[in-house]
Each structure stands twice: as C-alpha cells, then as structure tokens.
Amino acid sequence: LLLQNSPNPCKDYTNISFYLDNNNNNVKLKIYNFIGIFVSEYDIKQLTEGQTTIKLDVSKFPSGIYFYCLEINNKKTLAKKMIIN
C-alpha cells in the first residue's frame, strides 16, 4: 500500500510512506515527470513488513507535477501524484 506524500505540494523535502506485507529485499522508488518520463530511482534495501517512511530530497527537481511509483520485486504498485514548488 503506497500512501500520499506529505507535504504535498513540497519544496525541498517530502515524506513518502508505504506498507509491506512481508520482508522484501528488492524495493525501488521511481520518480516520473508529468508526461511519464523517468526522472530518478532510489533503491531501498532490507525492508521488513509494516510501514516504512522515506524522507526524499526534491530540492534539485524543477517545479512541476511528478508521479512516484513503488516497485517491489520488479512489480509496480500504484503511483501517486506529487507536486513540487
């Protein structure tokens, strides 16, 4: 389960939270711009089941609308919209 980032809109940092059903070693957070072009990827290793929150530095991203997607074991989950000022 992927949750909405907070704060949204954001400027320098945002928190992205998600829940995992079981232990996962292959978790990635991918960022795309508003037309679906890949922008950035973050590898997240050694996660246990339950909630995880990641503090994401977005200060170098240009202002605009982005989508973030959690990929678990090479399978994409739901995407959420993020606005950067």
Side-chain angles (χ1 to χ4, degrees):
L1 176 62
L2 181 60
L3 302 175
Q4 186 63 53
N5 68 303
S6 176
N8 190 29
C10 55
K11 185 172 183 171
D12 295 322
Y13 291 92
T14 191
N15 294 306
I16 297 176
S17 297
F18 53 90
Y19 290 93
L20 297 175
D21 292 341
N22 51 35
N23 295 342
N24 289 280
N25 292 325
N26 190 8
V27 179
K28 295 177 183 178
L29 180 68
K30 294 187 175 185
I31 311 291
Y32 299 89
N33 69 12
F34 72 100
I35 58 173
I37 296 173
F38 173 80
V39 174
S40 188
E41 178 178 304
Y42 304 89
D43 284 327
I44 309 160
K45 305 281 184 192
Q46 303 291 331
L47 293 180
T48 59
E49 64 183 295
Q51 182 176 347
T52 298
T53 299
I54 296 169
K55 186 174 185 178
L56 192 63
D57 180 356
V58 296
S59 62
K60 294 183 175 126
F61 287 82
S63 296
I65 298 172
Y66 294 83
F67 295 92
Y68 58 95
C69 180
L70 195 65
E71 192 175 277
I72 302 169
N73 297 325
N74 298 317
K75 294 181 183 175
K76 290 186 176 156
T77 64
L78 294 175
K80 299 281 185 180
K81 183 167 74 171
M82 168 174 62
I83 300 170
I84 299 175
N85 289 345

